Amino acid sequence: MPPLVGPAALLAGKAGQPAELTVRSAATGEQRAVVVVPIADEVPLRYQAWVADRRAHVLEKSGGRLGYLHLPDQAEPGWAEFHRDWRAQVAKDGVVVDTRGNRGGETSGLVVEKLMRRPIAWDYGRGEIPEPYPAYALRGPLVSVCDEQSASDGDIINQAFKDYGVTVVGARTWGGVVGIDDFFGLVDGTSVTQPRFAFAFDSVGLYGLENHGCEPTVPVDFAPQDFAAGRDPQLDKAIEIALEALAKEPPAAPPTLPGMYES
């Protein structure tokens, strides 16, 4: 028998070019031809599928009460990703923010500022659902999930959450916070860096985060057998903690004003 060859090998070198595929129905055996345009990099699609799967899991486990945000980094791509989902997810009773695999950057202060908003007033419009003020303020608990690959500004954002009283779930973050701003190329093609900056939280000092990482409030391991079985114990624990918080204190809700109709 000839060796089995997957579609990836047959599509090598055809990125951006129309390619005709013959597909066969597993149910009826009927064949048909379709034209596709292969992409050069499937990582963005796989990432979006991973986020959608985590979000669906949080929605199901929480009975629709919790939103889910993943922050892939604290640079331009992560800033854009955050704003694609932020408004819809903070309309839930609570939010789980996932920083696992966060590659760092420089926007943690801005993200923390937005996620720490709490309603102090409500904006009423005729025939419209009342909106919280400040805009898109969280109505209930926020729980963060981190791991050993949450790095640099990913370290910082979790320590900031923790210092603001947010429960941080998962594994201790990477511990490579800040230090350099340039690479110096050498004649042999290698490069060196020179330490230039430091970052110290009042809570843990200079070396409580740098070279150590953020210690989660609730440590939860993610074992290889969990991954193989499709389990996510860190995310499940974050959901559990958020729901427990909601059971103790209901989410903020607009008061019913005189003359308002009930939907």
Side-chain angles (χ1 to χ4, degrees), residues 126-177:
R126 186 187 298 273
E128 298 177 359
I129 298 175
E131 294 290 340
Y133 173 87
Y136 312 113
L138 269 72
R139 306 172 187 217
L142 175 68
V143 179
S144 179
V145 188
C146 65
D147 67 1
E148 64 278 7
Q149 297 184 45
S150 306
S152 190
D153 216 26
D155 291 295
I156 292 172
I157 196 170
N158 279 287
Q159 189 64 49
F161 282 144
K162 189 177 177 181
D163 288 0
Y164 275 119
V166 173
T167 300
V168 177
V169 177
R172 178 162 57 93
T173 61
W174 184 54
V177 186

Short mmCIF file of all heavy atoms in Angstrom, two decimals, residues 126-177:
data_model
loop_
_atom_site.label_atom_id
_atom_site.label_comp_id
_atom_site.label_asym_id
_atom_site.label_seq_id
_atom_site.Cartn_x
_atom_site.Cartn_y
_atom_site.Cartn_z
N ARG A 126 -34.28 56.18 26.50
CA ARG A 126 -35.66 55.76 26.21
C ARG A 126 -35.64 54.50 25.32
O ARG A 126 -35.04 54.48 24.25
CB ARG A 126 -36.40 56.88 25.50
CG ARG A 126 -37.89 56.59 25.28
CD ARG A 126 -38.53 57.67 24.41
NE ARG A 126 -38.47 58.98 25.05
CZ ARG A 126 -39.39 59.45 25.90
NH1 ARG A 126 -40.43 58.69 26.22
NH2 ARG A 126 -39.26 60.66 26.41
N GLY A 127 -36.29 53.46 25.79
CA GLY A 127 -36.38 52.22 25.02
C GLY A 127 -35.08 51.45 24.94
O GLY A 127 -34.95 50.52 24.13
N GLU A 128 -34.10 51.80 25.79
CA GLU A 128 -32.80 51.13 25.74
C GLU A 128 -32.48 50.47 27.08
O GLU A 128 -33.03 50.86 28.12
CB GLU A 128 -31.69 52.12 25.39
CG GLU A 128 -31.86 52.77 24.03
CD GLU A 128 -30.78 53.80 23.75
OE1 GLU A 128 -29.92 54.01 24.64
OE2 GLU A 128 -30.79 54.39 22.66
N ILE A 129 -31.59 49.49 27.04
CA ILE A 129 -31.13 48.84 28.26
C ILE A 129 -30.17 49.79 28.98
O ILE A 129 -29.28 50.35 28.35
CB ILE A 129 -30.42 47.51 27.94
CG1 ILE A 129 -31.40 46.55 27.26
CG2 ILE A 129 -29.82 46.89 29.19
CD1 ILE A 129 -30.75 45.27 26.79
N PRO A 130 -30.33 50.01 30.28
CA PRO A 130 -29.41 50.90 31.01
C PRO A 130 -27.97 50.42 30.89
O PRO A 130 -27.68 49.23 30.95
CB PRO A 130 -29.92 50.83 32.46
CG PRO A 130 -31.34 50.41 32.34
CD PRO A 130 -31.41 49.50 31.15
N GLU A 131 -27.06 51.38 30.74
CA GLU A 131 -25.64 51.08 30.61
C GLU A 131 -24.89 51.60 31.84
O GLU A 131 -25.21 52.67 32.36
CB GLU A 131 -25.07 51.76 29.35
CG GLU A 131 -25.62 51.22 28.05
CD GLU A 131 -25.15 49.82 27.75
OE1 GLU A 131 -24.11 49.41 28.32
OE2 GLU A 131 -25.80 49.12 26.95
N PRO A 132 -23.88 50.84 32.29
CA PRO A 132 -23.14 51.29 33.49
C PRO A 132 -22.24 52.47 33.19
O PRO A 132 -21.80 52.67 32.06
CB PRO A 132 -22.32 50.05 33.86
CG PRO A 132 -22.13 49.32 32.57
CD PRO A 132 -23.39 49.55 31.79
N TYR A 133 -21.99 53.25 34.21
CA TYR A 133 -21.00 54.33 34.15
C TYR A 133 -19.99 54.10 35.26
O TYR A 133 -20.40 53.87 36.40
CB TYR A 133 -21.67 55.69 34.33
CG TYR A 133 -20.67 56.83 34.43
CD1 TYR A 133 -20.20 57.45 33.30
CD2 TYR A 133 -20.18 57.23 35.68
CE1 TYR A 133 -19.25 58.48 33.40
CE2 TYR A 133 -19.24 58.23 35.79
CZ TYR A 133 -18.79 58.86 34.64
OH TYR A 133 -17.85 59.86 34.75
N PRO A 134 -18.69 54.11 34.96
CA PRO A 134 -18.05 54.31 33.66
C PRO A 134 -18.45 53.26 32.63
O PRO A 134 -18.89 52.18 33.00
CB PRO A 134 -16.55 54.20 33.98
CG PRO A 134 -16.44 54.39 35.46
CD PRO A 134 -17.70 53.87 36.03
N ALA A 135 -18.27 53.61 31.38
CA ALA A 135 -18.69 52.72 30.31
C ALA A 135 -17.99 51.37 30.41
O ALA A 135 -16.79 51.30 30.70
CB ALA A 135 -18.39 53.36 28.95
N TYR A 136 -18.74 50.32 30.19
CA TYR A 136 -18.23 48.94 30.16
C TYR A 136 -17.56 48.55 31.47
O TYR A 136 -16.58 47.80 31.48
CB TYR A 136 -17.27 48.75 28.98
CG TYR A 136 -17.83 49.27 27.68
CD1 TYR A 136 -17.27 50.37 27.05
CD2 TYR A 136 -18.97 48.70 27.13
CE1 TYR A 136 -17.81 50.86 25.87
CE2 TYR A 136 -19.52 49.19 25.95
CZ TYR A 136 -18.94 50.27 25.34
OH TYR A 136 -19.49 50.77 24.17
N ALA A 137 -18.10 49.05 32.58
CA ALA A 137 -17.59 48.67 33.89
C ALA A 137 -18.04 47.24 34.21
O ALA A 137 -19.14 46.82 33.85
CB ALA A 137 -18.11 49.63 34.95
N LEU A 138 -17.18 46.49 34.88
CA LEU A 138 -17.52 45.12 35.28
C LEU A 138 -18.59 45.14 36.36
O LEU A 138 -18.52 45.91 37.32
CB LEU A 138 -16.28 44.39 35.80
CG LEU A 138 -15.47 43.62 34.77
CD1 LEU A 138 -14.72 44.56 33.84
CD2 LEU A 138 -14.50 42.68 35.45
N ARG A 139 -19.55 44.25 36.23
CA ARG A 139 -20.68 44.24 37.14
C ARG A 139 -20.49 43.28 38.31
O ARG A 139 -21.25 43.30 39.27
CB ARG A 139 -21.95 43.88 36.37
CG ARG A 139 -22.14 44.81 35.18
CD ARG A 139 -23.26 44.38 34.27
NE ARG A 139 -23.27 45.21 33.07
CZ ARG A 139 -24.35 45.62 32.45
NH1 ARG A 139 -25.53 45.27 32.89
NH2 ARG A 139 -24.27 46.36 31.36
N GLY A 140 -19.50 42.39 38.19
CA GLY A 140 -19.30 41.39 39.22
C GLY A 140 -17.84 41.00 39.34
O GLY A 140 -16.95 41.78 38.99
N PRO A 141 -17.56 39.78 39.78
CA PRO A 141 -16.18 39.37 40.06
C PRO A 141 -15.33 39.25 38.80
O PRO A 141 -15.82 38.94 37.72
CB PRO A 141 -16.35 38.00 40.73
CG PRO A 141 -17.67 37.50 40.23
CD PRO A 141 -18.53 38.72 40.08
N LEU A 142 -14.04 39.48 39.00
CA LEU A 142 -13.02 39.26 37.98
C LEU A 142 -12.02 38.26 38.55
O LEU A 142 -11.54 38.41 39.67
CB LEU A 142 -12.30 40.57 37.64
CG LEU A 142 -11.12 40.49 36.67
CD1 LEU A 142 -11.58 40.12 35.27
CD2 LEU A 142 -10.35 41.80 36.65
N VAL A 143 -11.72 37.21 37.78
CA VAL A 143 -10.74 36.21 38.18
C VAL A 143 -9.73 36.06 37.05
O VAL A 143 -10.11 35.98 35.87
CB VAL A 143 -11.40 34.85 38.49
CG1 VAL A 143 -10.35 33.82 38.89
CG2 VAL A 143 -12.45 34.99 39.58
N SER A 144 -8.45 36.06 37.39
CA SER A 144 -7.39 35.93 36.39
C SER A 144 -6.79 34.53 36.42
O SER A 144 -6.68 33.92 37.48
CB SER A 144 -6.29 36.97 36.63
OG SER A 144 -5.24 36.83 35.68
N VAL A 145 -6.42 34.04 35.23
CA VAL A 145 -5.74 32.74 35.11
C VAL A 145 -4.37 32.98 34.50
O VAL A 145 -4.25 33.67 33.48
CB VAL A 145 -6.54 31.77 34.22
CG1 VAL A 145 -5.92 30.38 34.28
CG2 VAL A 145 -8.00 31.71 34.64
N CYS A 146 -3.32 32.44 35.12
CA CYS A 146 -1.96 32.63 34.62
C CYS A 146 -1.22 31.30 34.62
O CYS A 146 -1.66 30.33 35.22
CB CYS A 146 -1.20 33.66 35.46
SG CYS A 146 -0.91 33.15 37.17
N ASP A 147 -0.09 31.27 33.94
CA ASP A 147 0.75 30.07 33.95
C ASP A 147 2.21 30.47 33.82
O ASP A 147 2.55 31.66 33.81
CB ASP A 147 0.34 29.08 32.85
CG ASP A 147 0.60 29.59 31.44
OD1 ASP A 147 1.12 30.72 31.27
OD2 ASP A 147 0.28 28.86 30.48
N GLU A 148 3.08 29.48 33.72
CA GLU A 148 4.52 29.72 33.67
C GLU A 148 4.96 30.39 32.38
O GLU A 148 6.12 30.81 32.26
CB GLU A 148 5.28 28.41 33.86
CG GLU A 148 5.07 27.36 32.79
CD GLU A 148 3.79 26.55 32.98
OE1 GLU A 148 2.99 26.87 33.89
OE2 GLU A 148 3.60 25.58 32.22
N GLN A 149 4.07 30.52 31.42
CA GLN A 149 4.39 31.21 30.17
C GLN A 149 3.78 32.60 30.11
O GLN A 149 3.82 33.25 29.06
CB GLN A 149 3.92 30.36 28.98
CG GLN A 149 4.63 29.03 28.87
CD GLN A 149 4.22 28.25 27.64
OE1 GLN A 149 4.15 28.79 26.54
NE2 GLN A 149 3.95 26.98 27.82
N SER A 150 3.22 33.08 31.21
CA SER A 150 2.79 34.48 31.31
C SER A 150 4.03 35.29 31.63
O SER A 150 4.58 35.18 32.73
CB SER A 150 1.74 34.64 32.41
OG SER A 150 0.66 33.75 32.22
N ALA A 151 4.49 36.11 30.69
CA ALA A 151 5.84 36.67 30.81
C ALA A 151 5.85 38.19 30.68
O ALA A 151 4.99 38.78 30.04
CB ALA A 151 6.75 36.07 29.73
N SER A 152 6.87 38.82 31.29
CA SER A 152 7.14 40.24 31.13
C SER A 152 5.94 41.05 31.59
O SER A 152 5.60 41.06 32.76
CB SER A 152 7.54 40.53 29.68
OG SER A 152 8.03 41.84 29.52
N ASP A 153 5.27 41.74 30.68
CA ASP A 153 4.06 42.48 31.06
C ASP A 153 2.95 41.51 31.47
O ASP A 153 1.99 41.90 32.12
CB ASP A 153 3.60 43.36 29.91
CG ASP A 153 3.03 44.69 30.39
OD1 ASP A 153 3.42 45.14 31.48
OD2 ASP A 153 2.19 45.27 29.68
N GLY A 154 3.09 40.24 31.09
CA GLY A 154 2.18 39.21 31.59
C GLY A 154 2.43 38.90 33.06
O GLY A 154 1.51 38.55 33.80
N ASP A 155 3.70 39.01 33.50
CA ASP A 155 4.00 38.96 34.94
C ASP A 155 3.34 40.15 35.65
O ASP A 155 2.69 40.01 36.68
CB ASP A 155 5.51 39.05 35.19
CG ASP A 155 6.29 37.83 34.72
OD1 ASP A 155 6.08 36.74 35.28
OD2 ASP A 155 7.13 37.98 33.82
N ILE A 156 3.57 41.33 35.08
CA ILE A 156 3.14 42.57 35.71
C ILE A 156 1.63 42.62 35.87
O ILE A 156 1.11 42.99 36.94
CB ILE A 156 3.63 43.79 34.90
CG1 ILE A 156 5.16 43.90 35.00
CG2 ILE A 156 2.98 45.07 35.39
CD1 ILE A 156 5.76 44.96 34.08
N ILE A 157 0.89 42.24 34.84
CA ILE A 157 -0.56 42.40 34.90
C ILE A 157 -1.17 41.49 35.97
O ILE A 157 -2.12 41.88 36.66
CB ILE A 157 -1.22 42.15 33.52
CG1 ILE A 157 -2.65 42.69 33.52
CG2 ILE A 157 -1.18 40.68 33.13
CD1 ILE A 157 -3.28 42.71 32.15
N ASN A 158 -0.59 40.32 36.16
CA ASN A 158 -1.13 39.43 37.19
C ASN A 158 -0.80 39.92 38.60
O ASN A 158 -1.64 39.83 39.50
CB ASN A 158 -0.61 38.00 36.98
CG ASN A 158 -1.39 37.28 35.91
OD1 ASN A 158 -2.53 36.88 36.12
ND2 ASN A 158 -0.79 37.13 34.74
N GLN A 159 0.40 40.46 38.79
CA GLN A 159 0.73 41.05 40.09
C GLN A 159 -0.16 42.25 40.36
O GLN A 159 -0.61 42.46 41.50
CB GLN A 159 2.20 41.44 40.15
CG GLN A 159 2.67 41.84 41.53
CD GLN A 159 2.60 40.70 42.53
OE1 GLN A 159 3.06 39.60 42.24
NE2 GLN A 159 2.02 40.94 43.69
N ALA A 160 -0.44 43.03 39.32
CA ALA A 160 -1.33 44.18 39.49
C ALA A 160 -2.74 43.72 39.88
O ALA A 160 -3.36 44.27 40.79
CB ALA A 160 -1.37 45.00 38.21
N PHE A 161 -3.26 42.72 39.17
CA PHE A 161 -4.56 42.17 39.54
C PHE A 161 -4.57 41.72 41.00
O PHE A 161 -5.49 42.03 41.76
CB PHE A 161 -4.90 40.96 38.65
CG PHE A 161 -5.38 41.31 37.27
CD1 PHE A 161 -5.04 40.51 36.18
CD2 PHE A 161 -6.18 42.41 37.04
CE1 PHE A 161 -5.47 40.82 34.91
CE2 PHE A 161 -6.63 42.74 35.77
CZ PHE A 161 -6.27 41.93 34.69
N LYS A 162 -3.53 40.99 41.36
CA LYS A 162 -3.45 40.45 42.73
C LYS A 162 -3.43 41.57 43.75
O LYS A 162 -4.12 41.50 44.79
CB LYS A 162 -2.20 39.58 42.83
CG LYS A 162 -2.10 38.79 44.13
CD LYS A 162 -0.87 37.90 44.10
CE LYS A 162 -0.69 37.15 45.41
NZ LYS A 162 0.52 36.31 45.40
N ASP A 163 -2.66 42.63 43.49
CA ASP A 163 -2.56 43.73 44.44
C ASP A 163 -3.85 44.53 44.52
O ASP A 163 -4.10 45.22 45.53
CB ASP A 163 -1.39 44.64 44.06
CG ASP A 163 -0.05 44.00 44.34
OD1 ASP A 163 -0.02 42.85 44.83
OD2 ASP A 163 0.99 44.62 44.04
N TYR A 164 -4.67 44.47 43.48
CA TYR A 164 -5.98 45.12 43.51
C TYR A 164 -7.05 44.23 44.12
O TYR A 164 -8.23 44.58 44.14
CB TYR A 164 -6.41 45.55 42.11
CG TYR A 164 -5.87 46.90 41.69
CD1 TYR A 164 -5.05 47.04 40.58
CD2 TYR A 164 -6.21 48.06 42.39
CE1 TYR A 164 -4.56 48.28 40.19
CE2 TYR A 164 -5.73 49.30 42.01
CZ TYR A 164 -4.91 49.40 40.90
OH TYR A 164 -4.43 50.64 40.52
N GLY A 165 -6.66 43.04 44.58
CA GLY A 165 -7.62 42.16 45.24
C GLY A 165 -8.27 41.14 44.35
O GLY A 165 -9.18 40.42 44.79
N VAL A 166 -7.83 41.03 43.10
CA VAL A 166 -8.38 40.04 42.18
C VAL A 166 -7.74 38.68 42.47
O VAL A 166 -6.53 38.58 42.68
CB VAL A 166 -8.10 40.44 40.71
CG1 VAL A 166 -8.51 39.34 39.74
CG2 VAL A 166 -8.83 41.74 40.39
N THR A 167 -8.53 37.63 42.50
CA THR A 167 -8.00 36.29 42.69
C THR A 167 -7.27 35.84 41.41
O THR A 167 -7.83 35.91 40.31
CB THR A 167 -9.12 35.29 43.01
OG1 THR A 167 -9.77 35.70 44.22
CG2 THR A 167 -8.57 33.88 43.20
N VAL A 168 -6.03 35.39 41.57
CA VAL A 168 -5.22 34.91 40.45
C VAL A 168 -5.05 33.40 40.60
O VAL A 168 -4.57 32.92 41.63
CB VAL A 168 -3.85 35.61 40.41
CG1 VAL A 168 -2.99 35.05 39.29
CG2 VAL A 168 -4.03 37.12 40.24
N VAL A 169 -5.44 32.66 39.58
CA VAL A 169 -5.45 31.21 39.61
C VAL A 169 -4.42 30.66 38.63
O VAL A 169 -4.25 31.20 37.53
CB VAL A 169 -6.85 30.67 39.25
CG1 VAL A 169 -6.85 29.14 39.20
CG2 VAL A 169 -7.89 31.17 40.23
N GLY A 170 -3.74 29.57 39.00
CA GLY A 170 -2.86 28.91 38.03
C GLY A 170 -1.49 28.63 38.58
O GLY A 170 -1.32 28.24 39.74
N ALA A 171 -0.48 28.82 37.73
CA ALA A 171 0.91 28.54 38.08
C ALA A 171 1.69 29.86 38.13
O ALA A 171 1.32 30.84 37.48
CB ALA A 171 1.55 27.60 37.06
N ARG A 172 2.79 29.85 38.91
CA ARG A 172 3.63 31.04 39.03
C ARG A 172 4.12 31.49 37.66
O ARG A 172 4.56 30.68 36.84
CB ARG A 172 4.81 30.75 39.96
CG ARG A 172 5.78 31.90 40.12
CD ARG A 172 6.65 31.71 41.35
NE ARG A 172 7.39 30.47 41.35
CZ ARG A 172 8.64 30.33 40.90
NH1 ARG A 172 9.28 31.39 40.38
NH2 ARG A 172 9.25 29.17 40.95
N THR A 173 4.04 32.79 37.41
CA THR A 173 4.40 33.32 36.09
C THR A 173 5.90 33.25 35.86
O THR A 173 6.68 32.93 36.76
CB THR A 173 3.89 34.76 35.92
OG1 THR A 173 4.51 35.60 36.90
CG2 THR A 173 2.38 34.82 36.08
N TRP A 174 6.33 33.59 34.66
CA TRP A 174 7.69 33.35 34.17
C TRP A 174 8.77 34.04 34.99
O TRP A 174 9.82 33.49 35.27
CB TRP A 174 7.75 33.77 32.70
CG TRP A 174 9.04 33.50 32.00
CD1 TRP A 174 9.68 32.31 31.90
CD2 TRP A 174 9.81 34.45 31.27
NE1 TRP A 174 10.82 32.45 31.13
CE2 TRP A 174 10.93 33.76 30.73
CE3 TRP A 174 9.68 35.81 31.01
CZ2 TRP A 174 11.89 34.39 29.97
CZ3 TRP A 174 10.64 36.43 30.23
CH2 TRP A 174 11.73 35.72 29.72
N GLY A 175 8.56 35.30 35.32
CA GLY A 175 9.54 36.02 36.13
C GLY A 175 10.57 36.82 35.36
O GLY A 175 11.50 37.35 35.94
N GLY A 176 10.41 36.91 34.04
CA GLY A 176 11.28 37.79 33.26
C GLY A 176 10.52 39.07 32.97
O GLY A 176 9.80 39.15 31.98
N VAL A 177 10.65 40.05 33.82
CA VAL A 177 9.74 41.20 33.78
C VAL A 177 10.23 42.24 32.77
O VAL A 177 9.79 42.27 31.63
CB VAL A 177 9.57 41.81 35.19
CG1 VAL A 177 8.51 42.91 35.18
CG2 VAL A 177 9.15 40.72 36.18
#
